[in-house]
């Protein structure tokens, strides 16, 4: 169908609807439905549209989020993942619109296609695609019907929910493994060449080889992974005939997991050992239990083991004889490492006779938290040791000279640079932001007293800061759950707010670029954005915001071209680079910056600067998508690093934090931290990148507080080293007793927190159908089955619902899923849950999100998303109550 034919059909669709009788043409269309619109086909076949109706809440949410979707999501990136939820013609049309009109217009077309999709799993598929691309939009696209990205094998299809499922979601850093060449044209040899261990590596491995639980703390670049290979090999070989060891190595980051799986396979398979791995990306396709049973060394991302222990796939940690935690300083709070060690410590302190595995931790820095003194630092490190059940910290002492030959400690220089004394660009953009904020606030004036949390504090946010960005995210999250009685009005308001906040975010980004790079780059960033806005839907609000920007454009152009507005920070950066390359023309530099937008801006500045263009900059950024034009794929990252390593012409690599932790990076002799500083762990790891002899590390900043913070980090590093030295003088038995006492205290706290339960409300309450408010049952008639499923006893409830055979009957444990149940009121048919055979009983199982809970005394009504949030008196199911 041509575009003109499509327009004509839409224009005259009312006539088509009036004239066509669907009963005459349905039989002809059904086979075609089956291929293209399988969800609609199934609904027509059974005349059950509940599945399609359930998608309506996701359609409403996507309509609301459409302004943010089109400014943050690159449709070409996620199309391969979501194409199965669209028909082929739609996929082709999305690509065509991207090519002809730009990515924003393509994203709008993708939203339009999703809103039409009849595929039951499109919301979940979209979520998985966004997560895979590390898109910021994923934070807004919430699947509030439980944790759908984790397979919890109870009863499926989210028909029956468990009472208490807690999943830890880690906001992953940009750390990637980039040590392996992956350019398409390159060939990588996987043949392992034996390497003789250095003396300091043998020193680090010694306590672990003696069977002691050990934290190995050694600088970046010294070969801690090789030390872990030595420990692992010694461990596996020590078992007598007829017995076998089993090693698990944990890596938090997926690329580091891939690297270590390759390293361990190359090293151990030549020795006859079996090596395999499971990560979040592969767990759905393999059996974790079989992988663990059939291999000697298993590489895991830690959440895999957390899930497997929770659901019983792995019965206990006793199946392993050695556990190695990479970047073990992460073992704290609710990190997956700590979840694993909670399990270990419960087994240890619970008096179990089952053997526990040896524990090894690897890190460049144990850190000291918020410690202000050596005594507090010692306590912090003891707590990390207690979390990992270790009483030995291995550092290099006897072979320091050899270590210093391998890992060079760069000279550290602090350079305070000046910012612009006046910033006309910021003045103009700030005025545009104030206008946009006023427009956003006016939305609330239209609806009187109703407001969104956070809007009232809008004036307290400083433009051009990370704090302002966080405020925008907060408002957008609030918009996703904002409700009004008038749904059309609700949709209009939320769409407007998303448009205003999306524009505010772009202005904020531009101010950050302007602060640290050229005005020209900041202006180009905004011009590109508004060009894309014009090519997409371009509704009234967007037209108004674009007009306001274009009214200021000539003034912005003039300001950005004025030589007097040159950024003095760049003059200092240029001076350092010129000076260092004059002293050593073969210098290799890594320039660290905070954001991807700055990476692009500084690359353009170097390329367009006649004094620096000879550096031929490469870039290295994370995969996460903050907007449509940034984020590197893993192969692109590896190729960029390979080019820096092998191409002598590329003398500088501009990188975000992707290059500062856990990767093997090429030797360089100059590290520049451009307004870039973190905690002590990050500082040690970043400085470790400068490995070449005589290397230097510069911190450039206009903020004296940043220099002070870095000096504090240096002081903390010294305090950490002093604390470790002090702990190494302790008697081992004393250290073990200290660790044990911390473990006992922490377990008491952990257990008490786990047992704190809200006092149940014993007052009887009504459950009403969430859709039509028809009476369903009283809470006194609800019973809890197998601790997490909820049924209703008595004949009265059976008159309130109707049932239809379940399209996907399934058995699990004592349950046999047979039918779906719906509100019996005519013209409602709201989905209430399912009907199951439980042992010998036929019972309904209801979903709390399908009902409104009404207080009988006051008439107050409340909604609950999960049973665990509804604190009523929960009575266990009793077979004696069931009719004979």
């Amino acid at each position: 169908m041509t575009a003109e034919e499509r327009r004509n059909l839409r224009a005259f669709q009312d006539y088509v609807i009036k004239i066509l009788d669907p009963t005459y043409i349905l039989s002809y269309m059904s086979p075609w439905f089956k291929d293209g619109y399988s969800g609609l086909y199934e609904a027509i076949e059974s005349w059950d549209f509940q599945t399609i109706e359930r998608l309506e809440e996701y359609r409403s949410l996507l309509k609301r989020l459409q302004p943010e979707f089109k400014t943050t999501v690159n449709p070409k990136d996620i199309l391969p993942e979501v194409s199965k939820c669209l028909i082929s013609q739609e996929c082709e049309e999305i690509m065509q619109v991207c090519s002809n009109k730009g990515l924003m217009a393509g994203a709008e077309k993708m939203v339009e296609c999703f809103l039409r999709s009849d595929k039951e799993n499109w919301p979940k598929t979209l979520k998985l695609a966004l997560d895979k691309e590390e898109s910021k939009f994923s934070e807004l696209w919430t699947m509030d019907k439980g944790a759908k990205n984790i397979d919890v094998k109870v009863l499926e299809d989210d028909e029956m929910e468990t009472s208490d499922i807690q999943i830890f979601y880690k906001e992953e850093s940009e750390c990637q493994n980039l040590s392996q060449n992956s350019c398409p044209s390159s060939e990588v040899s996987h043949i392992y060449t034996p390497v003789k261990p250095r003396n300091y590596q043998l020193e680090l491995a010694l306590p672990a080889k003696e069977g002691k639980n050990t934290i190995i703390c050694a600088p970046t670049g010294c070969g801690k992974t090789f030390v872990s290979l030595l420990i692992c090999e010694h461990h596996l070989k020590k078992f007598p005939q007829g017995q076998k060891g089993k090693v698990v190595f944990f890596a938090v980051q997926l690329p580091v997991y891939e690297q270590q799986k390759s390293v361990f396979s190359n090293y151990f398979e030549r020795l006859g050992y079996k090596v395999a791995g499971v990560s979040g990306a592969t767990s759905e396709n393999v059996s974790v239990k079989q992988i663990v049973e059939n291999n000697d060394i298993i590489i895991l991302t830690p959440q895999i083991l957390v899930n497997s222990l929770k659901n019983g796939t792995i019965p206990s940690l006793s199946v392993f004889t050695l556990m190695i935690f990479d970047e073990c300083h992460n073992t704290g709070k609710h990190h997956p490492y700590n979840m694993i060690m909670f399990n270990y410590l419960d087994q240890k302190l619970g008096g179990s006779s089952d053997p526990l595995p040896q524990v090894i931790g690897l890190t460049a820095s144990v850190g000291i938290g918020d410690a202000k003194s050596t005594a507090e630092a010692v306590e912090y490190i003891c707590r990390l040791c207690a979390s990992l059940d270790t009483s030995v910290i291995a550092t290099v002492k006897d072979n320091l000279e050899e270590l210093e030959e391998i890992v060079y400690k760069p000279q550290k220089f602090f350079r305070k640079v000046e910012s612009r004394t006046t910033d006309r660009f910021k003045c103009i953009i700030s005025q545009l932001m104030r206008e946009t904020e006023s427009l956003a606030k006016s939305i609330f004036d239209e609806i009187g007293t109703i407001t969104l949390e956070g809007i009232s504090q809008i004036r307290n946010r400083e433009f051009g800061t990370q704090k302002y960005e966080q405020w925008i995210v907060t408002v957008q999250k609030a918009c996703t759950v904002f409700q009004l009685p008038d749904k059309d009005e609700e949709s209009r308001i939320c769409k407007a707010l998303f448009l205003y906040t999306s524009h505010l975010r772009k202005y904020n980004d531009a101010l950050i670029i302007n602060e640290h790079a050229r005005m020209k780059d900041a202006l180009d960033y905004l011009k590109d954005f508004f060009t894309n806005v014009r090519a997409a839907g371009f509704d009234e609000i967007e037209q108004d915001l674009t007009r306001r920007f274009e009214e200021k454009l000539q003034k912005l152009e003039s300001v950005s071209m004025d030589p007097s507005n040159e950024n003095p920070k760049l003059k200092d950066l240029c001076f350092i680079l010129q000076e260092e390359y004059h002293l050593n023309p073969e210098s290799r530099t890594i320039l660290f910056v905070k954001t991807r937008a700055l990476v692009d801006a500084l690359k353009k500045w170097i390329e367009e600067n006649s004094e620096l263009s000879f550096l031929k900059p490469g870039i290295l950024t994370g995969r996460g998508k903050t907007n449509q034009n940034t984020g590197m794929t893993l192969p692109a990252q590896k190729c960029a690093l390979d080019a820096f390593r092998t191409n002598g012409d590329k003398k500088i690599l501009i990188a975000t934090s992707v290059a500062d932790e856990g990767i093997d990076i090429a030797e360089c002799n100059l590290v520049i931290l451009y307004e870039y500083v973190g905690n002590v762990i990050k500082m040690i790891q970043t400085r470790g990148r400068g490995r070449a002899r005589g290397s230097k590390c510069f911190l450039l900043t206009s903020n004296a507080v940043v220099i002070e913070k870095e000096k504090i980090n240096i002081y903390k590093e010294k305090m950490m080293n002093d604390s470790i030295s002090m702990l190494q003088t302790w008697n081992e038995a004393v250290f073990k007793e200290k660790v044990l006492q911390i473990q006992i205290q922490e377990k008491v706290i952990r257990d008490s927190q786990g047992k704190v339960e809200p006092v149940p409300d014993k007052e009887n309450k009504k459950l009403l159908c969430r859709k039509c408010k028809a009476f369903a049952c009283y809470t006194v008639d609800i019973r809890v089955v197998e601790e997490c499923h909820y049924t209703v006893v008595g004949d009265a409830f059976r008159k309130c619902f109707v049932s239809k055979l379940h399209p996907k009957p399934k058995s699990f444990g004592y349950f046999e899923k047979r039918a779906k149940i719906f509100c019996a009121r005519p013209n409602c048919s709201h989905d209430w849950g399912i009907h199951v055979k439980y042992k010998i009983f036929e019972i309904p199982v209801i979903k709390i999100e399908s009902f409104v809970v009404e207080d009988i005394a006051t008439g107050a009504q409340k909604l609950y998303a999960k049973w665990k949030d509804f604190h009523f008196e929960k009575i266990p199911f009793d077979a004696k109550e069931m009719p004979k």
Side-chain angles (χ1 to χ4, degrees):
M1 183 180 286
T2 65
E4 185 179 357
E5 287 171 333
R6 190 179 288 107
R7 282 195 300 272
N8 289 337
L9 186 58
R10 284 175 181 157
F12 301 112
Q13 61 183 352
D14 288 346
Y15 294 108
V16 177
I17 292 167
K18 287 176 184 175
I19 294 168
L20 275 181
D21 185 334
T23 59
Y24 296 152
I25 64 170
L26 190 57
S27 59
Y28 297 103
M29 296 178 70
S30 289
W32 182 73
F33 278 164
K34 193 172 183 179
D35 292 334
Y37 294 93
S38 54
L40 184 59
Y41 173 78
E42 288 173 11
I44 291 173
E45 282 289 294
S46 61
W47 293 112
D48 179 358
F49 279 74
Q50 293 293 320
T51 299
I52 289 177
E53 185 180 341
R54 276 201 304 274
L55 292 172
E56 198 56 39
E57 62 183 289
Y58 295 111
R59 294 191 185 103
S60 298
L61 180 60
L62 189 57
K63 282 180 187 174
R64 179 177 294 190
L65 298 176
Q66 188 245 33
E68 185 66 10
F69 185 95
K70 72 179 184 181
T71 59
T72 57
V73 176
N74 184 332
K76 292 163 79 172
D77 283 346
I78 67 168
L79 189 58
E81 302 296 324
V82 302
S83 59
K84 58 190 173 187
C85 298
L86 307 171
I87 61 175
S88 57
Q89 293 96 319
E90 288 174 328
C91 296
E92 290 169 10
E93 196 170 353
I94 289 167
M95 291 301 292
Q96 190 173 13
V97 172
C98 286
S99 299
N100 295 341
K101 295 186 176 181
L103 295 176
M104 272 197 196
E108 280 187 342
K109 172 56 68 176
M110 180 173 277
V111 168
E112 180 187 314
C113 295
F114 275 132
L115 295 177
R116 279 201 306 267
S117 178
D118 61 345
K119 306 301 185 293
E120 184 179 8
N121 65 335
W122 75 257
K124 180 179 177 180
T125 303
L126 175 58
K127 175 69 173 172
L128 293 172
L130 294 167
D131 287 346
K132 184 176 179 182
E133 290 298 318
E134 299 175 22
S135 170
K136 274 200 171 182
F137 186 79
S138 184
E139 295 174 25
L140 300 174
W141 187 245
T142 53
M143 307 292 294
D144 51 69
K145 287 196 173 186
K148 296 202 176 187
N149 60 328
I150 302 293
D151 220 6
V152 181
K153 294 288 186 183
V154 185
L155 290 169
E156 299 184 7
D157 301 340
D158 295 322
E159 310 274 10
M160 301 171 70
E161 62 167 290
T162 56
S163 287
D164 186 21
I165 302 174
Q166 290 185 326
I167 313 293
F168 173 80
Y169 292 95
K170 178 176 183 297
E171 185 174 286
E172 294 190 354
S173 74
E174 297 174 314
C175 155
Q176 305 289 339
N177 157 38
L178 308 172
S179 61
Q180 296 175 14
N181 184 332
S182 74
C183 289
S185 60
S186 304
E187 292 182 9
V188 184
S189 171
H190 293 289
I191 299 169
Y192 180 78
T193 305
V195 178
K196 184 181 177 183
R198 298 186 176 96
N199 290 328
Y200 74 80
Q201 291 172 325
L202 294 172
E203 181 185 350
L204 289 170
L206 185 60
K209 283 185 173 183
E210 292 172 350
K212 297 174 182 176
N213 287 2
T214 307
I215 291 176
I216 295 170
C217 184
T220 304
C222 74
K224 288 189 292 293
T225 298
F226 184 61
V227 173
S228 70
L229 294 175
L230 298 175
I231 295 167
C232 191
E233 183 178 3
H234 179 272
H235 179 83
L236 292 171
K237 286 180 175 178
K238 77 176 184 181
F239 285 87
Q241 191 72 28
Q243 294 182 26
K244 290 183 71 176
K246 194 175 291 288
V247 178
V248 59
F249 184 103
F250 299 110
V252 176
Q253 307 298 339
L254 184 59
V256 177
Y257 155 85
E258 294 286 358
Q259 177 194 21
Q260 303 298 31
K261 186 154 74 84
S262 174
V263 168
F264 273 77
S265 296
N266 293 340
Y267 188 91
F268 282 103
E269 285 175 357
R270 69 190 175 93
L271 301 174
Y273 294 105
K274 292 181 180 177
V275 181
V278 187
S279 70
T282 61
S283 59
E284 289 187 4
N285 307 320
V286 297
S287 164
V288 177
K289 184 178 181 181
Q290 288 181 3
I291 291 286
V292 171
E293 285 177 354
N294 298 336
N295 291 278
D296 304 300
I297 301 165
I298 303 96
I299 317 297
L300 294 178
T301 48
Q303 190 65 44
I304 296 297
L305 185 57
V306 173
N307 295 343
S308 298
L309 288 167
K310 191 167 186 176
N311 63 31
T313 304
I314 304 298
S316 85
L317 293 174
S318 295
V319 301
F320 303 111
T321 56
L322 174 63
M323 299 194 300
I324 304 175
F325 294 83
D326 193 27
E327 308 294 351
C328 70
H329 54 266
N330 289 306
T331 312
K333 297 184 180 176
H334 295 290
H335 191 278
Y337 279 178
N338 227 14
M339 298 295 106
I340 292 166
M341 288 308 298
F342 286 166
N343 192 291
Y344 174 105
L345 293 170
D346 286 347
Q347 194 172 329
K348 173 188 174 179
L349 301 174
S352 170
S353 59
D354 293 335
L356 284 165
Q358 183 183 358
V359 178
I360 305 297
L362 308 174
T363 183
S365 166
V366 292
I368 59 167
D370 297 323
K372 303 292 190 296
S373 66
T374 303
E376 289 178 6
V378 166
E379 183 67 20
Y380 178 90
I381 296 168
C382 283
R383 290 190 175 277
L384 177 64
C385 290
S387 296
L388 288 161
D389 197 37
T390 57
S391 53
V392 176
I393 303 173
T395 58
V396 178
K397 292 187 287 185
D398 298 337
N399 298 280
L400 265 175
E401 285 187 16
E402 182 190 40
L403 175 64
E404 288 167 358
E405 284 293 310
I406 303 301
V407 181
Y408 311 110
K409 194 170 182 178
Q411 290 177 272
K412 195 71 176 279
F413 300 94
F414 300 102
R415 185 70 66 88
K416 173 78 165 61
V417 295
E418 297 304 318
S419 291
R420 299 180 182 93
T421 50
T422 57
D423 193 337
R424 289 160 60 202
F425 183 92
K426 184 174 183 178
C427 291
I428 297 167
I429 297 300
S430 295
Q431 179 57 36
L432 285 168
M433 292 177 79
R434 282 190 289 272
E435 289 176 14
T436 309
E437 284 182 343
S438 296
L439 291 168
K441 285 178 74 68
S442 69
I443 292 288
F444 294 98
D445 295 337
E446 296 177 29
I447 51 176
T449 58
I450 301 172
T451 186
L452 267 178
E453 186 182 350
I455 287 286
S456 57
Q457 288 102 29
I458 196 165
R459 296 295 182 194
N460 299 331
R461 311 295 174 185
E462 186 181 344
F463 297 145
T465 63
Q466 191 63 34
K467 190 175 181 182
Y468 194 85
E469 162 82 14
Q470 289 164 357
W471 172 80
I472 289 169
V473 171
T474 301
V475 172
Q476 291 188 339
K477 284 183 176 178
C479 280
T480 64
V481 295
F482 176 62
Q483 290 186 322
L484 283 175
D486 185 335
K487 294 303 168 187
D488 289 338
E489 183 71 354
E490 177 187 304
S491 177
R492 182 189 70 80
I493 287 169
C494 288
K495 184 178 179 183
L497 281 170
F498 272 110
L499 283 171
Y500 289 135
T501 51
S502 295
H503 281 67
L504 285 169
R505 171 181 276 144
K506 295 298 176 183
Y507 283 136
N508 196 60
D509 289 345
L511 288 181
I512 292 172
I513 295 170
N514 173 64
E515 172 68 22
H516 304 306
R518 297 178 298 182
M519 286 182 182
K520 171 183 178 296
D521 300 314
L523 183 56
D524 286 347
Y525 179 82
L526 287 174
K527 285 161 69 175
D528 288 345
F529 169 69
F530 280 102
T531 299
N532 275 319
V533 168
R534 275 188 169 280
F538 207 47
D539 68 10
E540 286 182 19
I541 290 175
E542 289 170 312
Q543 290 172 30
D544 177 49
L545 292 172
T546 303
R547 176 186 58 76
R548 291 170 187 270
F549 172 72
E550 288 177 344
E551 284 174 358
K552 307 286 186 184
L553 186 56
Q554 188 173 351
K555 192 178 291 185
L556 287 167
E557 295 270 20
S558 173
V559 167
S560 67
M561 298 304 290
D562 186 342
S564 66
N565 290 321
E566 187 179 347
N567 196 331
K569 291 185 188 180
L570 294 180
K571 289 181 181 178
D572 278 279
L573 178 57
C574 181
F575 176 78
I576 288 171
L577 287 169
Q578 284 182 299
E579 188 177 59
E580 292 303 316
Y581 279 90
H582 175 72
L583 293 171
N584 180 6
E586 300 305 312
S587 285
R588 312 286 285 170
T589 303
I590 299 181
L591 172 61
F592 282 102
V593 298
K594 284 191 294 192
T595 68
R596 298 179 188 87
L598 271 178
V599 169
D600 294 333
L602 290 175
K603 180 175 184 286
K604 283 174 65 178
W605 169 69
I606 290 174
E607 288 173 337
E608 294 173 12
N609 188 317
S610 59
E611 297 171 323
L612 298 177
S613 58
F614 72 94
L615 296 175
K616 300 192 184 309
I619 66 170
L620 190 61
T621 67
R623 291 184 299 149
K625 304 297 172 65
T626 53
N627 60 53
Q628 294 174 330
N629 302 314
T630 59
M632 294 176 77
T633 63
L634 189 57
Q637 290 172 331
K638 290 181 177 179
C639 285
L641 188 57
D642 185 54
F644 178 63
R645 185 191 296 116
T646 59
N647 185 343
D649 289 341
K650 289 194 176 294
K651 298 180 184 298
I652 188 169
L653 189 67
I654 310 171
T656 56
S657 60
V658 68
D660 78 356
E661 182 175 333
I663 59 169
D664 180 22
I665 205 163
E667 283 194 357
C668 65
N669 63 307
L670 181 60
V671 174
I672 300 175
L673 308 177
Y674 189 65
E675 298 283 9
Y676 182 99
V677 65
N679 59 27
V680 64
I681 293 171
K682 175 162 282 192
M683 191 202 78
I684 294 169
Q685 288 164 333
T686 306
R687 193 188 59 207
R689 294 299 124 210
R691 294 188 192 169
R693 195 180 298 276
S695 55
K696 298 177 184 178
C697 181
F698 286 90
L699 170 62
L700 266 72
T701 178
S702 58
N703 188 346
V705 175
V706 171
I707 291 176
E708 192 58 34
K709 185 176 180 182
E710 190 73 345
K711 287 180 177 177
I712 290 170
N713 280 341
I714 291 171
Y715 171 70
K716 283 186 171 185
E717 183 185 358
K718 182 181 183 303
M719 193 190 297
M720 180 192 76
N721 291 331
D722 291 345
S723 301
I724 290 171
S725 297
M726 185 183 297
L727 285 167
Q728 288 171 334
T729 66
W730 284 18
N731 178 281
E732 196 169 327
V734 172
F735 200 165
K736 278 189 175 180
E737 182 60 26
K738 169 76 172 174
V739 161
L740 178 61
Q741 290 308 313
I742 292 172
Q743 290 172 343
I744 292 170
Q745 292 166 11
E746 292 289 324
K747 180 166 171 56
V748 169
I749 294 168
R750 198 161 65 242
D751 289 348
S752 65
Q753 287 174 339
K755 289 173 185 172
V756 172
E757 297 233 352
V759 177
D761 184 350
K762 295 187 178 182
E763 292 294 320
N764 194 13
K765 292 182 168 47
K766 289 180 183 179
L767 261 65
L768 312 178
C769 175
R770 189 166 183 169
K771 185 175 178 184
C772 71
K773 299 292 178 77
F775 172 76
C777 67
Y778 291 104
T779 52
V780 292
D781 297 323
I782 296 174
R783 300 293 181 267
V784 185
V785 187
E786 300 281 337
E787 298 185 352
C788 57
H789 309 302
Y790 294 77
T791 188
V792 183
V793 296
D795 293 333
F797 181 64
R798 296 178 183 276
K799 297 174 184 176
C800 297
F801 68 82
V802 294
S803 60
K804 295 181 183 178
L805 290 177
H806 201 289
K808 299 174 184 176
K810 197 172 291 186
S811 296
F812 194 88
Y814 292 119
F815 295 93
E816 183 184 334
K817 190 163 51 175
R818 294 189 166 185
K820 296 173 73 104
I821 63 172
F822 306 94
C823 177
R825 178 175 281 189
N827 303 319
C828 178
S829 300
H830 187 50
D831 182 358
W832 282 5
I834 60 174
H835 209 276
V836 304
K837 183 177 181 181
Y838 170 63
K839 298 183 178 178
I840 61 170
F841 306 107
E842 297 279 347
I843 60 172
V845 176
I846 61 173
K847 305 185 291 186
I848 189 60
E849 68 262 34
S850 297
F851 300 93
V852 176
V853 178
E854 182 177 278
D855 188 295
I856 295 173
T858 65
Q861 296 183 348
K862 194 166 182 181
L863 301 175
Y864 294 96
K866 300 178 185 298
W867 282 108
K868 69 183 178 69
D869 300 328
F870 182 19
H871 305 302
F872 68 106
E873 187 174 21
K874 296 174 182 176
I875 305 168
F877 176 81
D878 186 346
K880 294 174 185 173
E881 291 189 274
M882 300 303 292
K884 300 289 186 182

